[in-house]
Amino acid sequence: MQRDIGSFPFSPTVRVKLKNAGFSTVEDLTGLKPSELSKEVGISKEAALEVLQLVKGELDPVHSHQSSMPTTSKSTTSSQRLVPSQQSKTGSTLTALDMLRQEKSHQPIVTFCQDLDEMLGGGVQLGKITELCGAPGVGKTQICMQLCVDVQIPQCFGGVGGEAVYIDTEGSFIAHRVADMAKAAVQHCTCISASSQSTEEQEALSTFTVNHILSGIHVFRCHNYTELIALVNLLPDFVTEKNKVHLIVIDSIAFHFRHDFDDMSLRTRLLNGLAQNLIRIATHQNLAVVLTNQMTTKVGGHNGHSHLVPALGESWGHASTIRLILFWRNSQRYATLYKSPSKQEMTVPYDITLSGVRTVTQISSESNISTSDHASEDGDTNPRKRLRVEDESR
C-alpha cells in the first residue's frame, strides 16, 4: 500500500501545496530533484530538499523491493546473492562477537604520524565519523589530503588499498600539494620493498605511482549547502559504483552552514539529516568519514572568560564518533582526542612537512603539554588559538 503524503510531518502550508500540485503519494515524488519539486509546488529549494529527505526512507524500500523481484532465473540468482549483504547492513543477524571480529579485521588508515596513529588506535577507523576541529592554518586540510593518499597504500604494505572522495566546500584542495604527499608515500613504500625483497610488494609498486594516487581521489566542489546536501544524498550510489572508495572527506562541514541562515531551526534540521546520512554511509558501506570543522568563540564560560569551541553548536557534537581538537602551542601543532568511545583523552604533537603529516622528532621542554594542562587553560592564554610566528612551518 502506498503511503499518503499527508501522513508525513510536513508543515500545513507545504502539505496543502503538495496536494494542490497533484502529489498524493510517496511514489509521486520518485525521481524528482529539489529544484524540480520547488518549481512545480511553489516552495523554496530548502523546503523541497527537506520534503525529499523525509520521504527518502519510504522510497528506498520500494525501489529495493522492485529491483529484487524474481522476473527471470538470472535475476533470482542475483537477488539471492544480495541477501547476506542486506542482512549485515541492517545488523539484525550480527552478535556483539561478530561486530568485535569485524572491527578487528578492519585496517585503519594511517596518518604517517606515529603518535597520532597510536592515539587513534592505529589510525582513522573505518565505519566511523572522525571530526577534525581547529583554527585556520593548524593543518586540518593537510591531514585530510594526507589521508586521501594513505588510504591508497596497498594492503601488502599494511594499507587499505582503496580510493577517496574529497568534498571541497572552501576551495582549499591543492592538487600540487597532494602530488608532493603522493611522491613521498611512493618513496616510503619503495624503501620498505627494497629492504624486504618481497615479490608481492614489487608487483604492488608497479601500479602504486603518483598518477595512480591522484586518479584515485575523486574531488567534488560544493558552492552552497544545497549542493552539499544533494551530493551527500547521491554518495551511496557513487560509492556502490566506485566500490574501492574507503574514505570520504568533507572539508569543511561548517563553511556553508555558518552564513546566510535566518532560520536556525531549519539549519538544525538540515544538519541532523546530513549527520544521519553520513552515519548511514559510514556503517553500511564500511568506510571512514572525515569532517573538518571550524572554531568559534564562546563568551562567558564557567570562569567568565571567552574560549574557542567547535562551530555548529553542541548538538552537532553528537554527529561524530571521534573528535580531535587541533591547536598551536609555542609554534608547535598539537592534537587532543576530545571524544572517543574506546580511547582515553590525550594530547600528542604532530608536524606538517613538505612530505606531509609526520611525527615530531624533537620538542623543546617549554613546548611540552599534557592533557591536564590543556584542560586547565583559561581564556587569557588559550592554547587553541593560533600563535602567529614568522618562521612557522606551513
Side-chain angles (χ1 to χ4, degrees):
M1 182 178 179
Q2 297 177 358
R3 182 170 176 181
D4 190 86
I5 289 295
S7 62
F8 287 91
F10 300 139
S11 65
T13 304
V14 172
R15 188 181 293 110
V16 170
K17 287 186 177 182
L18 286 170
K19 289 286 187 179
N20 292 338
F23 296 99
S24 302
T25 63
V26 171
E27 192 174 9
D28 296 335
L29 299 172
T30 303
L32 284 178
K33 298 179 180 178
S35 57
E36 297 172 345
L37 182 63
S38 172
K39 188 178 298 184
E40 289 192 33
V41 179
I43 57 178
S44 65
K45 290 184 180 180
E46 292 79 6
L49 181 61
E50 188 176 359
V51 168
L52 294 178
Q53 283 184 328
L54 284 173
V55 303
K56 187 176 185 298
E58 293 291 325
L59 289 173
D60 289 345
V62 173
H63 292 163
S64 61
H65 174 71
Q66 292 176 349
S67 63
S68 61
M69 289 293 288
T71 56
T72 63
S73 58
K74 182 177 179 180
S75 62
T76 303
T77 305
S78 176
S79 176
Q80 291 173 349
R81 287 198 299 264
L82 291 175
V83 171
S85 62
Q86 290 173 348
Q87 290 178 345
S88 63
K89 285 183 179 182
T90 59
S92 59
T93 60
L94 293 180
T95 65
L97 181 60
D98 294 332
M99 295 178 67
L100 178 62
R101 288 172 176 170
Q102 282 188 2
E103 289 183 1
K104 288 184 176 180
S105 65
H106 296 161
Q107 179 69 29
I109 306 171
V110 298
T111 65
F112 275 173
C113 174
Q114 184 177 356
D115 295 334
L116 201 55
D117 289 337
E118 290 178 354
M119 182 177 69
L120 294 171
V124 175
Q125 303 294 323
L126 301 183
K128 294 179 173 59
I129 296 180
T130 302
E131 184 180 17
L132 308 177
C133 309
V138 77
K140 301 186 297 296
T141 299
Q142 299 287 320
I143 294 176
C144 290
M145 292 190 293
Q146 182 71 65
L147 291 172
C148 288
V149 172
D150 296 348
V151 73
Q152 302 184 59
I153 295 177
Q155 295 181 356
C156 59
F157 290 100
V160 178
E163 295 180 354
V165 170
Y166 197 105
I167 302 176
D168 185 9
T169 66
E170 300 182 2
S172 55
F173 182 87
I174 307 298
H176 287 292
R177 181 65 178 133
V178 179
D180 292 337
M181 296 178 177
K183 182 178 179 180
V186 172
Q187 292 176 348
H188 176 76
C189 292
T190 302
C191 292
I192 296 176
S193 176
S195 60
S196 64
Q197 298 295 326
S198 170
T199 304
E200 182 182 7
E201 292 177 355
Q202 292 290 341
E203 293 177 354
L205 280 176
S206 63
T207 57
F208 188 62
T209 62
V210 174
N211 289 340
H212 176 79
I213 293 173
L214 296 178
S215 300
I217 304 175
H218 309 278
V219 183
F220 296 89
R221 182 73 167 94
C222 292
H223 298 86
N224 53 61
Y225 67 89
T226 305
E227 290 183 4
L228 175 60
I229 295 175
L231 177 57
V232 171
N233 288 333
L234 295 174
L235 277 179
D237 295 333
F238 182 83
V239 172
T240 301
E241 179 184 354
K242 306 286 186 179
N243 55 9
K244 292 188 66 176
V245 172
H246 284 81
L247 171 66
I248 294 176
V249 173
I250 301 181
D251 182 24
S252 73
I253 193 68
F255 185 70
H256 294 310
F257 287 97
R258 297 188 68 185
H259 310 284
D260 302 328
F261 260 101
D262 297 328
D263 189 351
M264 298 306 293
S265 62
L266 173 62
R267 189 187 85 158
T268 301
R269 292 196 301 271
L270 292 177
L271 281 172
N272 288 339
L274 187 64
Q276 291 299 320
N277 285 337
L278 292 174
I279 292 172
R280 190 180 302 112
I281 293 171
T283 54
H284 289 183
Q285 305 289 348
N286 187 32
L287 49 79
V289 175
V290 176
L291 314 173
T292 67
N293 194 359
Q294 301 170 353
M295 303 294 284
T296 187
T297 303
K298 183 176 182 180
V299 181
H302 64 280
N303 56 1
H305 295 287
S306 62
H307 59 283
L308 291 178
V309 297
L312 301 181
E314 295 181 357
S315 61
W316 173 255
H318 301 288
S320 59
T321 313
I322 300 167
R323 172 177 271 188
L324 297 180
I325 305 294
L326 311 180
F327 61 95
W328 287 91
R329 174 80 171 196
N330 296 333
S331 72
Q332 173 61 57
R333 292 178 171 91
Y334 286 90
T336 293
L337 184 60
Y338 185 79
K339 174 188 176 185
S340 173
S342 58
K343 296 293 182 179
Q344 65 178 1
E345 182 177 344
M346 63 184 300
T347 300
V348 299
Y350 66 98
D351 200 5
I352 304 294
T353 68
L354 181 63
S355 300
V357 181
R358 291 296 184 268
T359 305
V360 177
T361 56
Q362 183 178 2
I363 307 177
S364 60
S365 59
E366 64 178 3
S367 297
N368 290 333
I369 181 172
S370 65
T371 302
S372 59
D373 294 335
H374 173 61
S376 63
E377 290 285 350
D378 57 18
D380 295 332
T381 55
N382 194 332
R384 295 175 185 171
K385 292 184 178 179
R386 181 185 179 189
L387 301 180
R388 302 289 183 177
V389 292
E390 296 180 355
D391 58 344
E392 70 177 87
S393 60
R394 295 301 299 269

